[in-house]
Amino acid sequence: MNTLQLTLVLLGASVLAVVLFRRINLPPVLGYLLVGTLIGPHAFNLMKDVSGAQHLAEFGVVFLMFSIGLEFSLPKLHTMRRTVFGLGLAQVAVTMGAVTALSLVFGHSWQLGLALGGILSMSSTAVLSKLLAERMELDAPHGRDVIGVLLFQDLAVVPLLILLPSLSKPPEQMAMLMGIALVKAVVVLSLILFFGQRLMRKWFHFVARARSSEIFALNVLLITLSLAYVTELAGLSLALGAFVAGMLISETEYKLQVEEDIKPFRDVLMGLFFVTIGMKLDMPILLRNWWAVLGVLAGLLLLKGVIVGLVARRMGSSPGNSIRAALWLCAGGEFGFVLLGEAGRIPRHVEQVVLSALVLSMLVAPFIVHYCERIVTRFAGSEWLLKSMQLTQLAASSMATEKHAIICGFGRSGQFLARFLAQEGVDYVALDLDPERVRAAAAAGESVVFADATRRESLLAAGLQRASVVIVSVDDTRGAEKILQHVRDYRPELPVVVRTLDERDFERLSKAGATEVVPESLEASLTLASHALVLVGVPLNRVLRRVRDTRSARYQLLRGFFHGVSDREDEEEQPRLRSVWLGPGSGSIGLSLEEMDLGALGCEVSAIRRRGIKAVEPTPETRLKAGDVVVLLGLPAGLTAAEERLLRGARARV
């Protein structure tokens, strides 16, 4: 193949593989590895010049380390210092020591064992952080342990990139080379950090004054590659210079813009890097040594799991959280591939076995996480007691409440909402998974408890059977769907209001059973528009009317509440909402809305929820069925009469 044909094959295969792996909820890195394996010299051999691709792929590592440097934060490290430099340092050090000992037992050198220990000690930051966010466990105790260990592993890559190349040298030269490399690193980094901190902000300010996104992006590339080149001239790695460049820029106000500009280069080149790693997979060797691959895989999962679990338990974690952290961190990660490429002389059969074990460990990692809770409850008997105590505390706090609101998530939105409810005398119970937030808010007298709102037991303990509304204030679509499912199972007539970031999840959440979906983007736009219209001279009454009409068209269930913006009527005369659940014995079952003639009572059917799915605009021909939840809009007297007619049905119309 010529260069263009090869490029097209590489791009097409990468796109298809990554899309396929995303569809089945597996890391995209595995798709790139698969592409590399197929086009590599040990399969279809489509890429003849592997060395050229590897040189280009090195820039993927450069930009990855640059991104890590951007995320480097001394305040963050200080806040998490116990986890990062306690659990994280112990995990990496003990893993390297254990692998080195095993290497000696099996007749290999301690240098090889140390290199393999560094490679196998890494876990996948990209995969695990994404899974923690999706499962809403970032603020859980084990989530903080996992993030702290991942943060230390990211930092440990920097000295390991300096250490590993020296391990391939003869023993008599190794100590001297490592000492020289260390001195060079200290001198070069000191000079860069000392002068760089003074010059970086001024230089970026000078470039930003040109007000050109192209020049700004070119400047980011210039700074990154220049510092990488300086460290390479000093006999160090390109990645080290890129990491330092990221550190310097992270201290400026241009960090966020730089992060966005560098992301396309990083993702594309990192994809190419993983493709070149996949090219190293030699299937004939793997098939001959499949037993060794499975042995290394089992040893990796067991060894890292035991080390993390024991260290976490030693540092004060509960048995359950120790097992959780162990299960989350036991697999390998993408930095293992980075270090494997820099490790120097590793015997080919050992490299193939380790590479295959890393790939397989990343494949099984999502499944281990999926079954994590079952494993924890199986081996940690105290978890049942802890969960029972949490549910008991939650039930006790909600026992005296009735017709209350359940707030799922007590972040800023949840706290503002709680204040509005408290001002109107409405009781509420808030559920949140941030222990510090819960402790501080509970100490201040807020009705908030530590509980996972996506779990059925937590909602029932919070008084789901007695609540009048459920409000999901966390912007998490999957979590909201779980909550909606539990509400549909136990209280199908109960209204649920869900907050979302924008309109993209509106249909999905509506079909899941949300009574109303409130997108933040729409509300922010309405607020911005109202301020802008007033500032350009539009009369305030007209602005309020325009906003009211827009909300009326968007929020069908809230229409009645916006007619009283400038009115002085008594609150009892304001339109109200009421949900009426049609049980099996309701007399209106089988009748149409036209036959019910609820309009004669001064009421309007605002919505019908059927099997948890909201019909936003019911028609006169819509016939009522058992299990329907009819949402009425009207004045209090009319609502009472309409509810009676719906429940008694034909007898009320005679």
Side-chain angles (χ1 to χ4, degrees):
M1 289 188 180
N2 59 39
T3 303
L4 178 59
Q5 290 173 330
L6 180 59
T7 302
L8 290 175
V9 170
L10 182 61
L11 290 175
S14 299
V15 169
L16 291 176
V18 172
V19 169
L20 174 63
F21 275 74
R22 283 192 180 276
R23 287 285 180 87
I24 58 179
N25 291 321
L26 290 176
V29 61
L30 299 177
Y32 289 119
L33 291 170
L34 175 63
V35 171
T37 303
L38 294 177
I39 69 173
H42 307 294
F44 295 107
N45 196 23
L46 298 180
M47 182 173 285
K48 304 296 183 183
D49 185 16
V50 177
S51 60
Q54 289 176 339
H55 287 308
L56 183 60
E58 287 181 4
F59 289 105
V61 181
V62 167
F63 288 114
L64 177 62
M65 295 303 298
F66 177 78
S67 299
I68 294 175
L70 280 177
E71 295 299 324
F72 185 83
S73 170
L74 288 176
K76 183 178 180 180
L77 281 180
H78 181 74
T79 302
M80 303 180 65
R81 62 189 182 278
R82 182 175 178 274
T83 304
V84 175
F85 297 105
L87 181 58
L89 173 60
Q91 182 266 320
V92 173
V94 175
T95 302
M96 293 179 67
V99 174
T100 302
L102 289 173
S103 178
L104 293 173
V105 170
F106 286 100
H108 296 290
S109 66
W110 67 267
Q111 293 95 330
L112 177 62
L114 200 60
L116 293 179
I119 292 167
L120 297 176
S121 67
M122 298 292 115
S123 303
S124 178
T125 302
V127 174
L128 297 184
S129 59
K130 181 174 181 292
L131 288 173
L132 283 171
E134 288 178 350
R135 296 166 64 91
M136 298 176 63
E137 296 179 10
L138 282 170
D139 290 322
H142 70 278
R144 296 191 176 201
D145 287 345
V146 170
I147 292 298
V149 172
L150 292 175
L151 182 56
F152 181 83
Q153 290 178 357
D154 292 346
L155 296 177
V157 172
V158 178
L160 286 174
L161 286 172
I162 299 174
L163 172 66
L164 294 188
S166 303
L167 295 177
S168 61
K169 305 298 182 182
E172 60 273 9
Q173 300 179 13
M174 188 178 61
M176 182 180 66
L177 291 175
M178 289 177 59
I180 294 174
L182 181 61
V183 172
K184 286 182 179 179
V186 171
V187 173
V188 172
L189 296 182
S190 299
L191 291 174
I192 292 176
L193 292 175
F194 180 76
F195 292 104
Q197 287 182 342
R198 301 186 177 191
L199 297 176
M200 192 63 67
R201 182 175 279 105
K202 293 182 179 179
W203 174 252
F204 265 88
H205 181 66
F206 170 75
V207 173
R209 290 177 62 184
R211 298 186 178 181
S212 170
S213 57
E214 295 86 357
I215 295 177
F216 192 86
L218 288 173
N219 178 62
V220 173
L221 295 176
L222 173 65
I223 295 296
T224 306
L225 298 179
S226 296
L227 289 181
Y229 178 64
V230 168
T231 54
E232 187 185 41
L233 286 179
L236 305 171
S237 67
L238 291 168
L240 180 60
F243 176 79
V244 175
M247 284 179 56
L248 294 176
I249 296 176
S250 69
E251 299 297 325
T252 70
E253 60 270 29
Y254 303 101
K255 172 186 173 180
L256 296 178
Q257 183 63 42
V258 169
E259 194 171 16
E260 289 301 314
D261 287 342
I262 210 70
K263 188 176 181 180
F265 301 101
R266 180 197 67 191
D267 293 345
V268 171
L269 292 173
M270 276 305 297
L272 180 58
F273 168 76
F274 288 122
V275 168
T276 60
I277 291 294
M279 291 179 186
K280 296 182 178 181
L281 280 172
D282 192 334
M283 296 308 296
I285 293 181
L286 297 183
L287 293 176
R288 289 197 303 268
N289 297 282
W290 61 268
W291 53 271
V293 173
L294 294 180
V296 172
L297 173 63
L300 169 65
L301 299 178
L302 183 62
L303 179 65
K304 285 182 65 177
V306 170
I307 290 173
V308 173
L310 292 178
V311 174
R313 188 74 182 98
R314 182 73 175 176
M315 294 184 63
S317 295
S318 67
N321 287 328
S322 299
I323 297 176
R324 289 188 183 94
L327 293 172
W328 277 81
L329 292 165
C330 64
E334 57 271 4
F335 275 119
F337 301 120
V338 174
L339 295 174
L340 190 62
E342 300 287 335
R345 300 175 183 175
I346 295 180
R348 181 165 179 75
H349 68 282
V350 175
E351 180 189 51
Q352 293 297 310
V353 169
V354 171
L355 183 59
S356 302
L358 285 176
V359 172
L360 291 176
S361 72
M362 292 185 68
L363 274 173
V364 302
F367 298 101
I368 295 175
V369 169
H370 179 73
Y371 291 102
C372 176
E373 289 303 316
R374 298 185 187 181
I375 298 173
V376 170
T377 53
R378 173 67 178 83
F379 292 99
S382 61
E383 283 299 299
W384 287 105
L385 179 60
L386 291 175
K387 289 183 179 179
S388 177
M389 292 175 60
Q390 290 178 356
L391 293 176
T392 301
Q393 179 187 4
L394 177 55
S397 64
S398 65
M399 191 173 296
T401 59
E402 191 172 353
K403 301 290 185 184
H404 61 289
I406 299 177
I407 303 175
C408 303
F410 205 62
R412 285 179 294 178
S413 298
Q415 292 173 39
F416 291 146
L417 173 63
R419 291 170 192 166
F420 279 112
L421 294 175
Q423 289 172 357
E424 294 298 325
V426 178
D427 293 329
Y428 69 88
V429 175
L431 315 179
D432 199 273
L433 277 175
D434 188 328
E436 294 183 7
R437 182 187 299 150
V438 170
R439 183 168 57 252
E446 302 286 352
S447 181
V448 56
V449 292
F450 180 84
D452 185 356
T454 64
R455 299 181 66 86
R456 179 184 66 246
E457 297 84 358
S458 299
L459 291 173
L460 292 174
L464 181 64
Q465 300 289 2
R466 305 185 305 276
S468 59
V469 66
V470 174
I471 306 162
V472 183
S473 65
V474 179
D475 179 32
D476 178 67
T477 304
R478 291 186 62 183
E481 287 179 320
K482 292 181 182 179
I483 296 171
L484 289 167
Q485 178 65 48
H486 297 323
V487 174
R488 284 207 310 265
D489 291 342
Y490 290 90
R491 290 285 305 279
E493 80 284 3
L494 187 66
V496 183
V497 182
V498 181
R499 163 203 169 201
T500 186
L501 191 60
D502 52 38
E503 296 275 356
R504 63 189 174 189
D505 294 322
F506 175 77
E507 290 297 332
R508 180 177 171 184
L509 292 170
S510 296
K511 290 181 179 179
T515 309
E516 198 62 84
V517 181
V518 181
E520 288 187 356
S521 57
L522 174 63
E523 291 302 318
S525 299
L526 289 176
T527 303
L528 289 171
S530 62
H531 283 284
L533 290 173
V534 170
L535 290 174
V536 299
V538 178
L540 179 59
N541 288 338
R542 188 186 303 174
V543 173
L544 293 177
R545 186 167 61 251
R546 177 73 66 183
V547 173
R548 181 194 66 197
D549 293 343
T550 302
R551 284 197 174 112
S552 297
R554 172 58 182 78
Y555 303 123
Q556 294 289 326
L557 294 182
L558 300 182
R559 284 184 293 178
F561 294 99
F562 291 99
H563 294 308
V565 172
S566 57
D567 297 337
R568 297 294 182 184
E569 299 175 356
D570 187 78
E571 288 188 1
E572 290 297 324
E573 298 303 320
Q574 293 296 314
R576 292 284 189 270
L577 288 172
R578 184 174 298 181
S579 298
V580 181
W581 181 51
L582 303 182
S586 300
S588 59
I589 295 174
L591 300 177
S592 67
L593 294 181
E594 184 177 18
E595 291 172 327
M596 295 304 300
D597 193 20
L598 299 178
L601 302 176
C603 289
E604 175 186 350
V605 178
S606 181
I608 295 178
R609 294 177 66 211
R610 179 169 294 163
R611 299 188 186 93
I613 300 175
K614 184 178 68 171
V616 179
E617 295 181 358
T619 64
E621 293 77 21
T622 301
R623 292 192 176 275
L624 300 173
K625 298 182 180 181
D628 283 354
V629 179
V630 182
V631 183
L632 300 174
L633 174 65
L635 297 177
L639 289 174
T640 301
E643 181 176 5
E644 182 182 2
R645 179 172 293 186
L646 284 170
L647 297 177
R648 297 179 59 186
R651 291 192 296 273
R653 303 192 305 120
V654 174

